[in-house]
Amino acid sequence: RVAQLLDLVGLPKTAGELIDWITRSRVNRALKLSVSHALERLARAESHVHHFPWRRTIFHQLAQVDTLVDITGFCVGLETFRIRSVYSSPIPLGNAYQDPRGKWRPEPGPATRVLLRRFPIRRWPNRFEWTTPTGAVLLSAFGQPDPPPPFEVKGIGHSVGHRFPPRGPSVLKLLWGK
């Protein structure tokens, strides 16, 4: 499914073009809706920050293939494993983010802050981007800001990032249960 969606010939740059492109793809309707929902939410956050119509928002580094793969892969995982609810512990925000020109700025990214405004966060003193806009949009589009109800753990997954922040490796832990 990811390969079908990522037919990379002429990948669009604006949010509206990208969502239209996904809508015309050959993947199932549910996947089209969830990926489009996340991308529109991200575009609206960027639009809010930059005061620009959301459909004309240009994602800059967010238009990179890995962002689309991350969002699509997350949505495929929700569908494949029939996940109905997503919860999060307090989300770590750093004190830096990369602007569209690749320059580090001394605060959490503005779109990340907009996306996570309903979620509990933890501020870290380190100059590092602990939560990216991609991670923030996935949590805000599909997650709930409440702690999970009691559940039986059926599986545990880990994902290790490629960067090494000041306080150890970048690791995401996923608990799956009923």
Side-chain angles (χ1 to χ4, degrees):
R1 289 186 199 154
V2 175
Q4 288 175 337
L5 187 60
L6 293 178
D7 177 19
L8 298 178
V9 177
L11 186 65
K13 289 291 184 194
T14 68
E17 290 171 350
L18 187 56
I19 290 169
D20 292 344
W21 180 72
I22 289 165
T23 303
R24 291 188 310 268
S25 71
R26 296 176 301 179
V27 299
N28 70 56
R29 186 176 186 276
L31 185 57
K32 287 179 191 183
L33 289 174
S34 58
V35 171
S36 296
H37 170 68
L39 289 171
E40 180 178 333
R41 191 174 189 92
L42 180 58
R44 286 184 183 278
E46 291 286 349
S47 169
H48 176 79
V49 169
H50 299 292
H51 309 288
F52 203 77
W54 77 266
R55 285 192 59 85
R56 292 190 4 217
T57 298
I58 298 174
F59 286 141
H60 299 289
Q61 68 245 61
L62 296 177
Q64 293 175 359
V65 174
D66 65 322
T67 299
L68 192 53
V69 169
D70 290 344
I71 290 172
T72 304
F74 185 88
C75 293
V76 167
L78 290 178
E79 182 181 316
T80 301
F81 294 108
R82 297 184 185 102
I83 295 173
R84 292 190 299 259
S85 301
V86 175
Y87 299 93
S88 171
S89 58
I91 301 160
L93 291 184
N95 282 333
Y97 76 98
Q98 249 181 327
D99 70 14
R101 290 182 290 282
K103 187 172 182 179
W104 285 95
R105 300 290 179 185
E107 59 190 44
T112 300
R113 290 185 306 224
V114 169
L115 290 163
L116 296 178
R117 65 178 156 226
R118 298 180 309 118
F119 286 80
I121 60 169
R122 291 177 56 195
R123 294 294 301 256
W124 290 86
N126 307 84
R127 186 180 155 114
F128 189 77
E129 186 177 36
W130 289 95
T131 302
T132 65
T134 304
V137 78
L138 292 173
L139 287 171
S140 71
F142 304 105
Q144 301 175 37
D146 306 315
F151 66 96
E152 177 184 350
V153 175
K154 298 287 187 179
I156 300 173
H158 295 86
S159 174
V160 180
H162 66 280
R163 293 191 206 167
F164 292 97
R167 288 192 170 185
S170 172
V171 178
L172 173 69
K173 181 168 52 173
L174 172 72
L175 301 175
W176 178 55
K178 289 185 175 189

